[in-house]
Amino acid sequence: MSILEEKNIKAICLDIDGTLYSRFQMNLRLIPTVFPNLKLGILFNKIRKEYRATQEENPPLTEDRLGLLEKQAKIYLKNEDSKEKITKVIKQIDTQFYKNWAKSFQSIKAYDNMYETLEKAKSLGIKIALLSDFPIEKKMETLKIDKLVDFAISSEDTGYLKPSTKPFEYLANAIEVDPSNCIYIGDSYNKDIIGAKKINMKTLYLSKKAKKEKFQKADYICKNWFEIEKILLQ
């Protein structure tokens, strides 16, 4: 009996970057974002890390993407409240990161057997949903899964980043499936697996080296999409 049947799974929820296509391709496309503002390029990951660490006790002013962008800019400005400076940093981040990504990620190649696995699940009536920490842009079309996906959202649109429960709850509500009937697949243990597990989703950690004894909140661990197909559907 497949996991979909055994665990009464009604929806497969997925991270995108590093899960539907390789992390190597993602990292390669991040290199140009170091420029033109070298300081911003170097600090951006640190800004996002601080955002995750403080988002619960110090939430964005509004639970939407604007709230996230404003708080993200304030972290970079060391919590300055100047609207003019915040607006300027938001524009800098948009130009240096988001607009760059929108163009460069149009050439990504999907993992082998990813499409086939999702297509088979879809034929069984399983809902397919995507949750990424970054704007999705045209990634679904590039990966040729746009016709398979029932719902897709960036966690930024909720004002929170994974592993906050907010994006995961939003996703489950949007597809109208109880979290216990969802399985979340992701390549980040701390963001994807921990976050999904907090709201009682089943979890599958995509990792070539991970061992179950070290990553106990992952219900399943697979090395590639051939193993994922075998676990989910066979």
Side-chain angles (χ1 to χ4, degrees):
M1 179 183 293
S2 71
I3 286 175
L4 296 183
E5 296 174 305
E6 181 184 346
K7 302 298 183 181
N8 195 26
I9 299 299
K10 303 297 183 185
I12 296 174
C13 305
L14 304 121
D15 171 53
I16 298 178
D17 306 301
T19 299
L20 303 184
Y21 70 97
S22 70
R23 183 170 285 275
F24 172 78
Q25 293 182 72
M26 178 183 71
N27 290 338
L28 197 63
R29 285 157 177 79
L30 293 179
I31 294 172
T33 61
V34 176
F35 308 101
N37 185 330
L38 186 59
K39 178 184 176 183
L40 180 60
I42 293 172
L43 289 178
F44 190 71
N45 279 340
K46 185 177 180 181
I47 292 168
R48 300 283 281 201
K49 185 176 181 180
E50 183 174 338
Y51 195 109
R52 294 179 206 281
T54 61
Q55 61 187 342
E56 304 300 341
E57 64 268 24
N58 182 23
L61 293 179
T62 56
E63 293 188 348
D64 53 23
R65 189 158 187 262
L66 179 58
L68 179 139
L69 294 176
E70 288 178 343
K71 183 185 173 186
Q72 189 170 253
K74 286 179 70 175
I75 291 173
Y76 177 71
L77 293 167
K78 300 186 184 301
N79 293 314
E80 276 194 45
D81 283 323
S82 167
K83 289 186 178 181
E84 183 178 347
K85 289 184 178 180
I86 289 171
T87 300
K88 182 179 179 181
V89 171
I90 288 175
K91 289 181 179 178
Q92 287 178 327
I93 290 175
D94 184 56
T95 300
Q96 188 160 332
F97 292 90
Y98 297 119
K99 287 182 179 177
N100 253 331
W101 290 332
K103 297 175 184 177
S104 65
F105 283 94
Q106 290 178 10
S107 59
I108 52 177
K109 305 295 182 184
Y111 270 130
D112 289 343
N113 205 46
M114 180 274 290
Y115 179 89
E116 292 81 0
T117 301
L118 295 184
E119 185 180 41
K120 290 176 183 177
K122 185 74 174 180
S123 71
L124 297 174
I126 302 298
K127 290 184 176 181
I128 309 294
L130 305 181
L131 174 63
S132 173
D133 260 350
F134 291 107
I136 296 169
E137 300 292 351
K138 297 292 183 181
K139 290 176 186 176
M140 291 190 296
E141 290 82 357
T142 302
L143 296 169
K144 297 180 171 58
I145 60 170
D146 48 306
K147 291 182 173 59
L148 299 178
V149 175
D150 294 282
F151 182 76
I153 190 173
S154 165
S155 64
E156 289 191 351
D157 293 322
T158 71
Y160 293 82
L161 299 175
K162 296 182 283 186
S164 169
T165 59
K166 300 277 188 175
F168 295 95
E169 290 168 343
Y170 190 102
L171 187 72
N173 288 334
I175 60 176
E176 298 181 320
V177 177
D178 188 275
S180 64
N181 298 124
C182 297
I183 185 165
Y184 194 90
I185 302 175
D187 73 309
S188 170
Y189 184 77
N190 291 329
K191 300 171 191 174
D192 297 317
I193 305 307
I194 297 297
K197 205 64 182 175
K198 285 178 182 178
I199 67 165
N200 201 32
M201 285 183 171
K202 306 296 186 297
T203 56
L204 191 157
Y205 183 27
L206 179 60
S207 172
K208 292 182 179 179
K209 299 180 180 180
K211 302 296 183 182
K212 184 71 173 82
E213 57 269 21
K214 292 185 179 181
F215 300 93
Q216 297 182 7
K217 289 191 181 296
D219 294 300
Y220 311 98
I221 297 176
C222 291
K223 294 180 181 179
N224 54 52
W225 273 91
F226 292 99
E227 287 190 2
I228 291 175
E229 178 188 7
K230 186 175 181 180
I231 281 183
L232 290 182
L233 300 168
Q234 297 178 12

